[in-house]
């Protein structure tokens, strides 16, 4: 894309906030269906005590290194390797100061620091071995695809099969991203799908940045989409639940994420760090809030249907006056239904 890292970071701000915000809303509505607000949740004994200053200071090295990361990328506009190097150096220096504070300046703080660096290096190396092997293998696959021209053939086939219809092309794109992103890491899924699928979107006149974000978000959803659904395999094993039921619940919880790439195409302003991007973030936030309430809440059926209809209509392209009408209706109806379903239930539970 020939862009600096901080430009990608700012472009993804509103989209990532929408992504994680809709996830938190879905989890919240889902938890309200099963957790009684009048019942105290059991917590481990080690978590019941108040956080001490020592535990609070553990996060300072991470926070400091993150600030250094933003500084070197935004101010000095370094590349990823140089920025990563200075970020690691900042973390190690701040961690050494933290160890010095824990031991009150005793010499053993240096030994604790060296031991921690040693363990972290071993853990990082063990974690990078499978990732490096997968990326190396993927590099061979990408080379084969580009040499044989298969990637261009797939893109050409998708464009010709859609017959110039953008929404049909987006449907093909979503299916290809989910299929090619199965059982691989996020980085590998992005590299594979952006090589095979993104050219088809750019041929239809979609800006490269929007095309890359679209295939990236859809590729991530392969982890919760059957038949592979690697995340659901692990989750169902931990919970002792049925695999297909876990996939269904995860897809319901992730339904807004399937829609979010369509928002990138319809309202590309959401990928801009300006006032127009903020406006689209707020509008899409209202729509996704209504969707989450309709999909995950335990409200009466007609209330959930109303929220689903409002959410879909807000997120679909429509006239400006109709969009603002739907936003006003949702802004009035949602707090009312919230009060009816939660505050009234809480009052009945305490009476």
């Amino acid at each position: 894309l020939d862009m600096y890292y901080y430009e990608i970071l700012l472009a993804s701000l509103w989209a990532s906030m929408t992504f994680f915000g809709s996830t938190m809303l879905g989890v919240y509505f889902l938890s309200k269906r099963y957790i009684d607000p009048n019942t105290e949740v059991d917590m481990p004994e080690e978590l019941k005590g108040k956080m001490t200053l020592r535990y609070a200071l553990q996060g300072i090295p991470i926070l400091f290194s993150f600030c250094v990361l933003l500084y070197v990328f935004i101010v000095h506009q370094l590349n990823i390797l140089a920025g990563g190097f200075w970020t690691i150096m900042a973390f190690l220096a701040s961690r050494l100061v933290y160890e010095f504070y824990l031991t009150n300046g005793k010499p053993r703080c240096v030994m604790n620091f060296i031991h921690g660096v040693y363990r972290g290096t071993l853990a990082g190396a063990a974690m990078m071995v499978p990732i490096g092997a997968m990326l190396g293998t993927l590099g061979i696959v990408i080379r084969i695809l580009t040499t044989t021209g298969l990637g261009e053939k797939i893109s050409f086939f998708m464009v010709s099969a859609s017959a110039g219809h953008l929404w049909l092309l987006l449907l093909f794109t979503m299916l290809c991203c989910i299929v090619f992103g199965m059982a691989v890491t996020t980085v590998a899924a992005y590299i594979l799908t952006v090589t095979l699928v993104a050219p088809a979107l750019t041929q239809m006149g979609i800006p490269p940045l929007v095309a890359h974000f679209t295939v990236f978000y859809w590729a991530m959803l392969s982890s919760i989409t059957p038949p592979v659904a690697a995340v659901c395999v692990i989750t169902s094993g931990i919970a002792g639940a049925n695999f297909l039921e876990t996939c269904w619940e995860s897809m319901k919880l992730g339904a807004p994420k399937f829609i979010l790439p369509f928002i990138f195409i319809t309202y590309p302003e959401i990928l801009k760090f300006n006032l127009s991007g903020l406006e689209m973030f707020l509008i899409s936030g209202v729509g996704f809030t209504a969707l989450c309430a309709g999909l995950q809440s335990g409200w009466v059926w007609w209330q959930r249907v109303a929220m689903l209809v409002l959410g879909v209509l807000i997120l679909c392209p429509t006239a400006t006056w109709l969009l603002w009408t739907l936003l006003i209706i949702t802004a009035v109806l949602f707090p009312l239904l919230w009060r009816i379903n939660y505050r009234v239930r809480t009052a009945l539970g305490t009476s």
Side-chain angles (χ1 to χ4, degrees):
L1 292 176
D2 194 22
M3 298 175 63
Y4 288 109
Y5 178 83
Y6 81 93
E7 294 177 321
I8 302 294
L9 183 66
L10 294 179
S12 64
L13 180 62
W14 305 127
S16 59
M17 291 178 64
T18 304
F19 182 93
F20 291 109
S22 60
T23 303
M24 289 188 292
L25 278 174
V27 172
Y28 176 78
F29 284 119
L30 188 63
S31 63
K32 295 288 283 187
R33 291 166 52 184
Y34 298 103
I35 299 178
D36 187 357
N38 300 311
T39 302
E40 184 179 355
V41 179
D42 293 333
M43 295 180 62
E45 292 296 332
E46 60 270 16
L47 298 180
K48 291 184 178 181
K50 295 183 179 180
M51 180 177 292
T52 61
L53 179 62
R54 176 179 177 178
Y55 285 104
L57 291 178
Q58 285 184 348
I60 290 184
I62 299 177
L63 179 61
F64 177 70
S65 59
F66 179 71
C67 294
V68 172
L69 175 71
L70 296 180
Y71 176 77
V72 296
F73 279 144
I74 296 177
V75 178
H76 294 282
Q77 299 181 358
L78 299 181
N79 56 40
I80 295 179
L81 292 178
F85 171 78
W86 289 113
T87 302
I88 294 175
M89 292 298 102
F91 174 79
L92 293 177
S94 56
R95 182 68 188 187
L96 180 59
V97 174
Y98 173 72
E99 293 290 345
F100 185 83
Y101 166 78
L102 289 181
T103 58
N104 295 322
K106 295 180 181 179
R108 64 185 179 90
C109 70
V110 179
M111 296 303 300
N112 293 338
F113 173 75
I114 295 176
H115 183 64
V117 172
Y118 174 74
R119 288 184 301 156
T121 303
L122 292 180
M127 183 175 59
M128 287 302 299
V129 167
I131 297 177
M134 179 175 292
L135 292 179
T137 306
L138 187 61
I140 299 175
V141 174
I142 295 299
R143 176 65 66 177
I144 294 175
L145 293 174
T146 54
T147 304
T148 59
L150 181 59
E152 290 79 3
K153 292 179 181 178
I154 293 176
S155 299
F156 178 77
F157 174 77
M158 291 173 57
V159 174
S160 60
S162 62
H165 297 286
L166 178 59
W167 294 105
L168 186 58
L169 175 62
L170 291 177
L171 179 61
F172 292 154
T173 302
M174 180 179 66
L175 295 177
C176 288
C177 290
I178 292 175
V179 170
F180 288 123
M182 288 181 177
V184 294
T185 61
T186 302
V187 177
Y190 166 72
I191 296 175
L192 187 59
T193 54
V194 81
T195 304
L196 297 176
V197 183
L201 298 178
T202 56
Q203 290 179 27
M204 293 290 288
I206 297 175
L209 179 65
V210 178
H212 280 236
F213 269 95
T214 300
V215 299
F216 172 63
Y217 272 71
W218 271 331
M220 287 193 300
L221 295 174
S222 60
S223 60
I224 62 172
T225 307
V228 178
V231 173
C232 296
V233 172
I234 299 174
T235 304
S236 60
I238 295 176
N242 181 270
F243 170 70
L244 292 179
E245 292 180 357
T246 304
C247 291
W248 171 246
E249 291 297 331
S250 65
M251 292 183 67
K252 283 174 56 181
L253 191 62
K257 291 77 180 173
F258 288 93
I259 302 175
L260 187 57
F262 289 103
I263 304 299
F264 299 158
I265 304 296
T266 308
Y267 304 110
E269 294 84 5
I270 198 173
L271 296 177
K272 297 179 180 178
F273 187 68
N274 51 27
L275 292 179
S276 62
L278 176 60
E279 179 184 358
M280 292 314 307
F281 164 70
L282 296 176
I283 293 174
S284 61
V286 174
F288 283 126
T289 300
L291 274 181
C292 292
L295 290 172
Q296 299 295 339
S297 67
W299 299 353
V300 184
W301 70 268
W302 67 266
Q303 298 174 352
R304 298 178 63 182
V305 170
M307 288 290 100
L308 281 174
V309 172
L310 288 172
V312 172
L313 292 178
I314 289 174
L315 297 175
C316 289
T318 184
T320 304
W321 67 268
L322 180 58
L323 175 62
W324 285 104
T325 302
L326 295 171
L327 289 173
I328 294 174
I329 294 175
T330 306
V332 173
L333 184 61
F334 179 79
L336 179 63
L337 295 180
W338 179 286
R339 181 180 181 86
I340 291 175
N341 286 277
Y342 293 144
R343 292 192 178 182
V344 173
R345 289 181 183 178
T346 303
L348 292 175
T350 56
S351 63

